[in-house]
Amino acid sequence: MASLITCPHCGARPKEEFTVKSAALPRPSADAGEAVWFDHVYLRDNPRGAYEEYWHHTSGCRRWLVVSRNTATHEVADARDASEARP
Amino acid sequence: MAEMTTNRIPLTAPPTQAALADRAPVVREGVTLEALPEGTILHLLARPTQVAAPFADKVAAAGLDLRVVAPGQWFATAPTVMSGADLVVLSQALKPEVDVVDQSHGRVGIVLHGPLAARVLAKGTAVDLDPSAFPVGRSATTLVGHIAAHLTRVNAERFEIVVQRGFAGSLFDDLSQMSLEFARL
Ligand SMILES: [Zn+2]
């Protein structure tokens, strides 16, 4: 289990302090069209391996992070403030 | 349209009773749990890139202890109540760097002190409380059990915990239970 997330502001904290939003994907342009937006909002690849997600440190600093983890091993490779890690 | 005031002066009367008025100090062998007097807790808010250096002296000069909450956020605390007039003066002095929100009635302080204080607190939080990782003066925003809380190590054997008022009773009772193994027989 990816039980410890190293928040860049708070240090290593248990996953219970966080809320996971979803995959950190580049945002389509506003006029990209319904099909592209439907894909962006609802469709996920669910890959085995490296994955980037938005995690909110809800019970800590309350900053949004981009967490890079491996969905197969649950190893966390990186956690950055989302303001510095826009996909 | 009437001009709106930007200073957040308390508009309501203070609570008639302290949140933990009915919780007597819990004295164990090596650790004591007590409610702190309801003094002053100010929440300072700025952009996440703001650092404390430009305004820390102003907070200290007002007799407040500055504690890190998160990027661009601090608590400034004092054991005594700050007057509305003093709060306005301080808010204006800090205005270039941070905005002040008075949380003196919104949050409550609890203290855990004694040689076993860290042993008790460690049962409820994943923060590493070893002095090498959490030295005197360090603060952390974290969970204690299921309750969001803000911890500060004010000296080697004394932790002050700031918690939202509505959760203070539950957290106090949780900490009391967490210290039960050190109860005096
Ligand atoms: Zn954090």
Side-chain angles (χ1 to χ4, degrees):
Chain A
M1 200 59 221
S3 56
L4 283 178
I5 305 293
T6 302
C7 173
H9 308 295
C10 305
R13 297 298 182 90
K15 72 179 194 318
E16 284 75 11
E17 291 193 2
F18 297 83
T19 310
V20 191
K21 183 178 168 253
S22 66
L25 302 169
R27 192 179 171 86
S29 66
D31 59 357
E34 196 178 318
V36 174
W37 272 100
F38 185 88
D39 188 314
H40 176 71
V41 174
Y42 296 110
L43 304 180
R44 293 291 175 267
D45 292 339
N46 194 21
R48 177 185 170 87
Y51 203 42
E52 290 207 324
E53 288 163 317
Y54 284 117
W55 286 55
H56 185 238
H57 196 182
T58 314
S59 301
C61 61
R62 301 194 64 84
R63 295 291 298 170
W64 279 102
L65 311 178
V66 173
V67 173
S68 309
R69 69 182 181 96
N70 188 302
T71 58
T73 66
H74 301 300
E75 199 176 329
V76 176
D78 188 36
R80 284 162 292 159
D81 193 289
S83 68
E84 298 161 7
R86 213 173 290 258
Chain B
M1 205 170 129
E3 196 181 323
M4 289 178 73
T5 176
T6 52
N7 284 312
R8 293 188 173 86
I9 302 162
L11 299 175
T12 53
T16 51
Q17 183 176 294
L20 298 172
D22 59 348
R23 301 302 201 284
V26 174
V27 182
R28 309 295 195 196
E29 202 67 61
V31 59
T32 297
L33 170 67
E34 289 177 81
L36 284 169
E38 292 190 8
T40 303
I41 300 175
L42 307 180
H43 195 178
L44 311 187
L45 296 130
R47 289 185 170 278
T49 50
Q50 178 70 48
V51 294
F55 63 87
D57 288 350
K58 290 184 259 186
V59 173
L64 297 158
D65 187 28
L66 190 65
R67 300 172 179 185
V68 172
V69 172
Q73 295 189 40
W74 296 263
F75 284 143
T77 69
T80 52
V81 177
M82 194 174 205
S83 75
D86 286 348
L87 181 58
V88 170
V89 169
L90 180 65
S91 299
Q92 284 167 354
L94 296 179
K95 189 70 188 169
E97 291 95 21
V98 291
D99 288 301
V100 177
V101 180
D102 184 10
Q103 282 283 312
S104 305
H105 303 156
R107 293 175 199 254
V108 170
I110 295 172
V111 62
L112 203 54
H113 61 91
L116 297 178
R119 284 267 300 272
V120 172
L121 196 53
K123 294 182 188 183
T125 178
V127 172
D128 185 354
L129 298 174
D130 188 87
S132 65
F134 200 74
V136 172
R138 183 70 58 89
S139 293
T141 311
T142 184
L143 287 177
V144 176
H146 292 287
I147 298 174
H150 180 264
L151 318 177
T152 302
R153 179 173 232 145
V154 292
N155 69 41
E157 297 181 349
R158 184 179 174 94
F159 294 88
E160 291 189 6
I161 305 164
V162 172
V163 63
Q164 290 181 37
R165 187 181 191 87
F167 293 99
S170 294
L171 181 60
F172 191 95
D173 295 344
D174 286 352
L175 290 166
S176 174
Q177 195 159 16
M178 284 151 63
S179 68
L180 256 184
E181 68 166 309
F182 307 118
R184 291 185 163 163
L185 301 175

